Amino acid sequence: MAVYTEVTDEALADFLLGYDIGTMVAFRGIAEGVENSNFSLRTSTGDFILTLYEKRVDPHDLPWFLGLMEHLAQHGLVCPQPVRGRDGAALRQLSGKHAAITTFLPGVWPRRVRQGHCSPVGDALAKLHVAGAGYAPTRANALGPGSWMPLLDRCRARGDEVQAGLIRELDTALASILAGWPAQLPVGHIHADLFPDNVFFLNDELSGVIDFYFAATDLLDYDIAVCLNAWCFEADFSFNVTKSRALLRAYQTVRRLSAAEQAALPVLCQGAAIRFLLTRLYDWLNTPAGALVTRKDPMEYLRRLRFHLTATDARAYGL
Amino acid sequence: MAVYTEVTDEALADFLLGYDIGTMVAFRGIAEGVENSNFSLRTSTGDFILTLYEKRVDPHDLPWFLGLMEHLAQHGLVCPQPVRGRDGAALRQLSGKHAAITTFLPGVWPRRVRQGHCSPVGDALAKLHVAGAGYAPTRANALGPGSWMPLLDRCRARGDEVQAGLIRELDTALASILAGWPAQLPVGHIHADLFPDNVFFLNDELSGVIDFYFAATDLLDYDIAVCLNAWCFEADFSFNVTKSRALLRAYQTVRRLSAAEQAALPVLCQGAAIRFLLTRLYDWLNTPAGALVTRKDPMEYLRRLRFHLTATDARAYGL
């Protein structure tokens, strides 16, 4: 369920008066996504996505997100481009929420990742990193390494309800990850959530990258680590090094990894796994039983984390 | 949330090979609707809706529903038209479910009903009734008057948890409704669920009627009674006779009501109110707390029912 806020047809018609994109033709809530309310909007001039920002997004970050999307779109990455109103503003108000209209991207996200998806993802991620370099404003990564111990502490009292011994295992892993966290790697704007449901494909070609609402300024290689977690594990949580190699090779065709960057892959992947494990664990423990959002199983990331803890160097990822 | 079944992009691409409507361009789950899984589907030739039928729809009824929609569309009602595959079949299988593709209708359903919506609804309902006459197959109304006492019985043990004295009030009302239920009024195919979320408008004109999965063969005037319940109450549950008069006048421009039909309006409206009250009450008592479906408040229909119980004749509805 991704429609938390209802928009009346009158309110929408009024809202569209602020834009130069024609009048409403069709308007449907979109089921995908869990953070914001999304609607597919057709007007007399074309197709768009209307997003109402819900409480998990800090309104102060919205201009940064929209600015990044606009910058990336102008620099060759296919991603939703914010549509500016007649007054030049992309960020507006609708039904009591911050709201923005972005361009519609064709394509379908892959429900099952095939090897053929991984090269295009690596290529797009590298292009995103390169294109992002020209966007001057920065945003600290609220879910970066500094957030993981506080998150673990908030799960400490009840975490073992999910699995006996879990908190002790995470304490040990996190201490090792934070101790080994690389300090000197290249920093830039990262997507930070480039999972399959945020990448569209059309006729086996990547047709767009969406959902920049976790984007931040952080280690570029951490973004690669998120993708290795998101795209290269099979349903049984075995790691598919062929997919990983394809993703990394395509990435390096655009942006070459230094020896230090390659050497950091295991700890970065451990960090990415524990980041999704911890947010899922927190949500698991704190989502009311009657909530409309489907809770995601945190234990899937414990399986990934354990794999990454066995990796001693970049060869584990096919380099 | 109206996506209960996930469809992989590969399965969808294979599925489309059975049709002559081009290849997949975009595919998004639709948040509206609670009975089936609905997706907006764009192909290289146009826009469509893909529906996967979930467990609340009896598969044996599907050919009847699709046949009715096709018949009505061919006879001038703007409604989704089932798209037949290369083999001539409209009803197919996808991801383990019965599935059909229908044409896409532009328009937006009115979140707040205005008086101006009611004439077009009355007009469309009458046209649906007239056009339906040429569709020979029939379907008994599984939620008609014969189902109400069994439904009430299934709510009996716990109904008063919702409101003290509720079951006694419903027993009294239902006995009176069933005793006064008209036997000799015209029978035909009815939509039976023509609520605002099933009627699209575009530039203040009705642009289509959707969701025929409660349609059945029953008293035509009962369908009017459903609409009077659905369109003519204000948010405070007061009855708006101006809206009702507009709806009925427009209806009668197409299909005239006899004196007997007019006289039956109060009991038909009582019946329609108790039908939605009872299914909502049953769902309220039987929806698990963690379910993805939002429960609808049954008490809204007790307020409507009480109004209709005060109506002595058709003048209460503006005739």
Side-chain angles (χ1 to χ4, degrees):
Chain A
M1 172 73 175
V3 174
Y4 305 94
T5 302
E6 196 56 273
V7 178
T8 69
D9 40 323
E10 296 101 323
L12 179 61
D14 282 350
F15 184 71
L16 289 178
L17 294 176
Y19 291 87
D20 192 24
I21 59 171
T23 57
M24 176 168 65
V25 172
F27 183 59
R28 310 265 162 97
I30 295 177
E32 282 97 350
V34 293
E35 299 290 329
N36 299 312
S37 294
N38 291 301
F39 301 85
S40 70
L41 166 67
R42 174 173 298 179
T43 74
S44 47
T45 69
D47 286 288
F48 303 91
I49 300 291
L50 168 68
T51 301
L52 269 64
Y53 298 100
E54 304 290 346
K55 61 176 186 225
R56 281 177 74 144
V57 176
D58 182 342
H60 296 102
D61 287 333
L62 289 172
W64 189 84
F65 294 136
L66 294 173
L68 177 64
M69 290 155 73
E70 193 166 43
H71 176 90
L72 293 173
Q74 286 164 354
H75 290 79
L77 191 81
V78 186
C79 68
Q81 187 151 14
V83 177
R84 292 175 177 273
R86 295 178 195 276
D87 59 0
L91 183 61
R92 312 177 82 82
Q93 293 270 337
L94 177 58
S95 300
K97 300 287 166 71
H98 293 283
I101 290 177
T102 53
T103 51
F104 176 91
L105 296 185
V108 181
W109 65 267
R111 271 67 177 176
R112 286 187 204 139
V113 174
R114 295 191 308 274
Q115 194 191 322
H117 295 122
C118 294
S119 289
V121 167
D123 174 74
L125 185 70
K127 287 176 174 161
L128 187 161
H129 290 168
V130 171
Y135 184 60
T138 60
R139 176 180 179 262
N141 187 3
L143 289 170
S147 71
W148 300 340
M149 188 55 85
L151 256 175
L152 179 54
D153 284 339
R154 293 169 76 183
C155 300
R156 191 170 296 282
R158 294 181 45 223
D160 284 3
E161 292 173 17
V162 177
Q163 183 168 309
L166 176 62
I167 294 300
R168 198 179 54 193
E169 183 170 354
L170 295 183
D171 266 330
T172 305
L174 185 51
S176 152
I177 293 166
L178 294 177
W181 199 249
Q184 305 295 330
L185 301 184
V187 167
H189 305 313
I190 66 172
H191 184 284
D193 194 40
L194 199 60
F195 278 72
D197 57 344
N198 288 330
V199 182
F200 289 169
F201 287 84
L202 193 56
N203 303 324
D204 290 332
E205 294 191 9
L206 192 150
S207 61
V209 171
I210 66 165
D211 199 350
F212 287 76
Y213 302 107
F214 286 101
T217 314
D218 204 340
L219 303 183
L220 295 179
D221 300 299
Y222 173 68
D223 223 6
I224 301 175
V226 171
C227 286
L228 293 175
N229 276 282
W231 291 84
C232 304
F233 283 88
E234 299 302 310
D236 64 357
F237 306 106
S238 59
F239 186 74
N240 186 325
V241 75
T242 310
K243 289 180 177 172
S244 165
R245 184 179 291 124
L247 194 155
L248 289 167
R249 281 193 179 164
Y251 185 96
Q252 291 209 78
T253 304
V254 179
R255 191 183 83 83
R256 190 100 211 136
L257 299 184
S258 70
E261 291 180 81
Q262 294 191 24
L265 279 178
V267 71
L268 292 166
C269 286
Q270 293 159 23
I274 212 163
R275 170 257 184 267
F276 288 100
L277 196 166
L278 288 170
T279 51
R280 286 187 173 198
L281 179 61
Y282 180 82
D283 288 346
W284 191 270
L285 296 172
N286 294 285
T287 300
L292 288 168
V293 174
T294 311
R295 301 184 301 180
K296 293 179 180 173
D297 185 359
M299 291 305 96
E300 297 178 2
Y301 279 84
L302 185 64
R303 306 284 297 271
R304 287 170 167 83
L305 174 61
R306 286 174 177 169
F307 168 80
H308 297 306
L309 287 167
T310 68
T312 51
D313 57 37
R315 283 177 298 183
Y317 302 101
L319 286 186
Chain B
M1 171 71 175
V3 174
Y4 304 94
T5 303
E6 196 55 273
V7 178
T8 68
D9 39 325
E10 296 100 322
L12 179 61
D14 283 349
F15 185 70
L16 289 178
L17 294 177
Y19 291 87
D20 192 25
I21 59 172
T23 56
M24 176 168 66
V25 171
F27 183 60
R28 309 267 162 96
I30 296 177
E32 282 97 350
V34 294
E35 299 289 330
N36 299 312
S37 294
N38 291 301
F39 301 85
S40 70
L41 166 67
R42 175 173 297 179
T43 74
S44 47
T45 69
D47 286 288
F48 303 90
I49 300 291
L50 169 68
T51 301
L52 269 62
Y53 298 100
E54 303 291 345
K55 60 175 187 232
R56 281 176 76 144
V57 176
D58 183 342
H60 296 101
D61 287 333
L62 290 171
W64 188 85
F65 294 136
L66 294 173
L68 176 65
M69 290 156 72
E70 192 166 45
H71 176 89
L72 293 173
Q74 285 164 354
H75 290 79
L77 191 81
V78 186
C79 68
Q81 186 152 14
V83 177
R84 293 175 176 271
R86 295 179 196 276
D87 61 359
L91 182 61
R92 314 178 79 83
Q93 293 271 337
L94 176 58
S95 299
K97 300 285 166 71
H98 293 283
I101 290 177
T102 53
T103 52
F104 177 92
L105 296 185
V108 182
W109 65 266
R111 270 67 175 176
R112 286 187 205 138
V113 174
R114 296 190 308 271
Q115 194 192 324
H117 293 122
C118 295
S119 290
V121 167
D123 174 73
L125 186 70
K127 286 176 175 163
L128 188 161
H129 290 167
V130 171
Y135 184 60
T138 60
R139 175 179 180 263
N141 187 2
L143 289 170
S147 72
W148 300 339
M149 188 56 84
L151 256 175
L152 179 54
D153 284 339
R154 293 170 76 183
C155 299
R156 192 169 296 281
R158 294 181 44 224
D160 284 4
E161 291 173 19
V162 176
Q163 182 167 310
L166 177 62
I167 295 298
R168 199 178 53 193
E169 182 171 354
L170 295 184
D171 266 329
T172 306
L174 185 52
S176 151
I177 292 166
L178 294 177
W181 200 249
Q184 304 296 331
L185 300 185
V187 168
H189 305 314
I190 65 171
H191 184 284
D193 194 40
L194 200 62
F195 278 71
D197 57 344
N198 288 330
V199 182
F200 290 169
F201 287 83
L202 193 56
N203 303 324
D204 290 332
E205 294 191 9
L206 192 148
S207 61
V209 172
I210 66 165
D211 200 350
F212 286 77
Y213 302 107
F214 286 103
T217 315
D218 205 339
L219 303 183
L220 295 179
D221 300 299
Y222 173 69
D223 223 6
I224 301 175
V226 171
C227 285
L228 294 175
N229 276 282
W231 293 85
C232 303
F233 284 87
E234 298 302 309
D236 64 356
F237 306 107
S238 59
F239 187 73
N240 185 324
V241 76
T242 310
K243 290 180 177 172
S244 165
R245 183 179 291 122
L247 194 154
L248 289 167
R249 281 192 179 164
Y251 185 95
Q252 292 209 80
T253 304
V254 179
R255 192 183 83 83
R256 191 98 213 136
L257 299 183
S258 69
E261 291 180 81
Q262 294 191 23
L265 278 178
V267 71
L268 292 166
C269 286
Q270 293 159 21
I274 211 164
R275 170 258 183 268
F276 289 99
L277 196 167
L278 287 171
T279 50
R280 284 187 174 199
L281 179 61
Y282 180 82
D283 288 346
W284 191 270
L285 296 172
N286 293 284
T287 301
L292 288 168
V293 174
T294 312
R295 300 184 302 181
K296 294 180 179 171
D297 186 358
M299 292 305 95
E300 296 179 2
Y301 279 85
L302 185 64
R303 307 284 295 271
R304 288 171 166 83
L305 174 61
R306 285 173 176 169
F307 168 81
H308 297 305
L309 287 167
T310 69
T312 51
D313 57 36
R315 282 177 299 183
Y317 302 101
L319 286 187

